[in-house]
Amino acid sequence: MKNKNKETQTIRTQAARTEFREHSVPLYLTSSFTFESAEQGRALFADELEGNIYSRFSNPNTSEFIEKMCVLEGAEDGFAFASGMAAVFTGFGALLQAGDHILASRSVFGSSHQLLTRVLPKWGITSTYADAARPEEWESLIQENTKMIFIETPSNPQLELIDLEWLGKLARKHNIIFSVDNCFATPYLQTPIQYGADLVIHSATKYIDGQGRVLGGVIVGRKDLISEIRFFSRHTGPALSPFNAWILSKSLETLPVRMDRHCSSALALAQHLDTHLEMESVLYPMLPSHPQHELAKKQMTQGGGIVTFVVKGGYERAQKFMDALQIASKTANLGDTRTTVTHPASMTHSKLTPNERAAVGIFDGLIRISVGLENINDIIGDIEQALTASA
Ligand SMILES: *Cc1c(COP(=O)(O)O)cnc(C)c1O
């Protein structure tokens, strides 16, 4: 199967068939696995044999999900987690120690920001933020104790991009672990390992499930780093449940088909809004008006499913617009079959002052749309009528 396309490999990767000759993979809801002999138990614990012992360490459903993620990201090995944040935390906790420093891109996911600024400092791990828009500053922010570079591209919600090839080279030059949260792009649109990333992290809750059902997370990447992550996880217990792994593994089989539709609909919406009179600005990586359009074309195959715009009329207009929507859901999640809409200034970024928000590009009228799989004409129609009703 190794010489086949990734889509084919993903669909055809499956836990070994049992004596029942099932076609679809069964759900292995078991906390532990039996030993055929005391000797086998000894050898499994001694790492002389590979095999399942306990579902906190590994489970056939979880292993299948990880194997598919490794195929998609071009990774050597991986470990799966109960949520995206469990993955992000373990990526730091397993590999860093007191005195280490992280260089991170400024616009990271809200909870990743809390980890960097409030949790990790408790254990003496510090961090500095760098601006995606000022790559020339990054090298001067590297300290002697910088052990990891951690970024998201495209970022949430401003869809800023970071040049993966450039940063991969910088990390290599300074012998720093390069870790990328690839949640927004998914491995179908962008594979950071190809550009030198050592680790790729996902919230599987988003496009990987793609249907708004379960939480999950995963880290894939360099074998030596994953083996430290596996040791840490085996003894701290953030493992993904087999049930959620079973859902997520099946979801991966439709990821390319779903992403094609998310992307074509998001592009159509972005193009529709780009010249709209009610817009102050529209951001989408595959619009020629995006400041990093050339970079988007270089490292992403399509623009993704998120469109961000600033509506005229600021905070109040944005709230009225949200309330006037008839199809799109008001919810903080993204990457669902259903179109979802968020107003960061009053929701995810409401704890910042207006000045702090403006400094990171979260304007009062900014709206983030995760374009779903409904018919694109209905999505555009809903947004049009809400723009009119809120004018
Ligand atoms: C949602 C998200 C996370 C956290 O994932 P959970 O599964 O909600 O824990 C991390 N990074 C990004 C970019 C996300 O969008």
Side-chain angles (χ1 to χ4, degrees), residues 207-227:
Y207 289 105
I208 290 175
D209 174 45
Q211 289 146 88
R213 300 165 298 182
V214 301
L215 296 184
V218 65
I219 307 183
V220 297
R222 248 169 63 189
K223 208 172 181 55
D224 58 324
L225 300 176
I226 296 296
S227 99

Side-chain angles (χ1 to χ4, degrees), residues 232-295:
F232 183 91
S233 303
R234 179 168 164 156
H235 301 295
T236 54
L240 180 65
S241 93
F243 179 78
N244 288 4
W246 179 78
I247 300 242
L248 293 170
S249 182
K250 209 67 192 153
S251 291
L252 280 181
E253 297 180 14
T254 56
L255 179 74
V257 180
R258 289 185 283 108
M259 289 313 291
D260 279 339
R261 178 64 87 88
H262 282 298
C263 293
S264 63
S265 291
L267 179 61
L269 175 64
Q271 285 168 338
H272 177 86
L273 294 176
D274 199 25
T275 52
H276 202 290
L277 294 175
E278 297 299 316
M279 295 294 130
E280 260 169 27
S281 58
V282 178
L283 285 170
Y284 186 70
M286 290 303 168
L287 279 184
S289 59
H290 189 284
Q292 294 164 299
H293 181 55
E294 289 308 313
L295 177 59

Side-chain angles (χ1 to χ4, degrees), residues 83-86 88 109 112 152 156 181 183-184 203-206 215-216 334:
S83 70
M85 284 324 299
V88 173
F109 185 69
S112 302
E152 281 173 33
N156 177 25
D181 181 333
C183 174
F184 267 46
S203 165
T205 315
K206 311 294 168 53
L215 296 184
L334 62 94

Side-chain angles (χ1 to χ4, degrees), residues 27-293:
L27 182 46
Y28 291 94
L29 283 186
T30 176
S31 33
S32 74
F33 300 84
T34 53
F35 309 124
E36 280 159 9
S37 63
E39 166 53 23
Q40 191 194 40
R42 185 205 61 78
L44 281 164
F45 270 97
D47 285 330
E48 290 167 17
L49 267 185
E50 258 191 47
N52 297 305
I53 297 175
Y54 192 60
S55 286
R56 169 152 42 82
F57 314 168
S58 69
N59 171 284
N61 292 122
T62 316
S63 300
E64 183 191 277
F65 169 61
I66 294 166
E67 202 181 323
K68 287 180 176 174
M69 282 304 302
C70 288
V71 166
L72 288 167
E73 289 285 6
E76 295 171 349
D77 202 358
F79 196 86
F81 299 87
S83 70
M85 284 324 299
V88 173
F89 174 70
T90 304
F92 296 136
L95 301 172
L96 302 176
Q97 59 187 41
D100 287 347
H101 172 258
I102 302 162
L103 182 60
S105 53
R106 186 175 303 282
S107 32
V108 290
F109 185 69
S111 292
S112 302
H113 169 70
Q114 300 298 342
L115 276 186
L116 289 167
T117 55
R118 300 192 43 191
V119 179
L120 295 177
K122 293 202 297 181
W123 296 301
I125 298 166
T126 55
S127 60
T128 306
Y129 281 129
D131 267 322
R134 296 202 207 98
E136 67 281 1
E137 288 179 6
W138 285 59
E139 191 160 20
S140 67
L141 297 172
I142 293 174
Q143 307 177 5
E144 219 164 276
N145 57 345
T146 305
K147 289 286 161 57
M148 185 178 281
I149 291 176
F150 174 75
I151 65 155
E152 281 173 33
T153 178
S155 73
N156 177 25
Q158 305 95 324
L159 305 176
E160 271 185 317
L161 307 187
I162 295 171
D163 187 333
L164 290 167
E165 189 180 11
W166 158 76
L167 197 52
K169 283 189 183 141
L170 189 68
R172 190 67 21 104
K173 178 177 162 195
H174 292 271
N175 197 22
I176 297 170
I177 298 167
F178 180 26
S179 176
V180 179
D181 181 333
N182 201 27
C183 174
F184 267 46
T186 82
Y188 183 57
L189 307 182
Q190 167 178 289
T191 46
I193 289 173
Q194 162 193 359
Y195 299 107
D198 299 299
L199 295 174
V200 175
I201 302 181
H202 283 279
S203 165
T205 315
K206 311 294 168 53
Y207 289 105
I208 290 175
D209 174 45
Q211 289 146 88
R213 300 165 298 182
V214 301
L215 296 184
V218 65
I219 307 183
V220 297
R222 248 169 63 189
K223 208 172 181 55
D224 58 324
L225 300 176
I226 296 296
S227 99
E228 287 184 58
I229 285 169
R230 180 176 295 112
F231 168 82
F232 183 91
S233 303
R234 179 168 164 156
H235 301 295
T236 54
L240 180 65
S241 93
F243 179 78
N244 288 4
W246 179 78
I247 300 242
L248 293 170
S249 182
K250 209 67 192 153
S251 291
L252 280 181
E253 297 180 14
T254 56
L255 179 74
V257 180
R258 289 185 283 108
M259 289 313 291
D260 279 339
R261 178 64 87 88
H262 282 298
C263 293
S264 63
S265 291
L267 179 61
L269 175 64
Q271 285 168 338
H272 177 86
L273 294 176
D274 199 25
T275 52
H276 202 290
L277 294 175
E278 297 299 316
M279 295 294 130
E280 260 169 27
S281 58
V282 178
L283 285 170
Y284 186 70
M286 290 303 168
L287 279 184
S289 59
H290 189 284
Q292 294 164 299
H293 181 55

Side-chain angles (χ1 to χ4, degrees), residues 333-345:
N333 197 26
L334 62 94
D336 199 307
T337 53
R338 301 168 177 201
T339 298
T340 61
V341 178
T342 312
H343 179 224

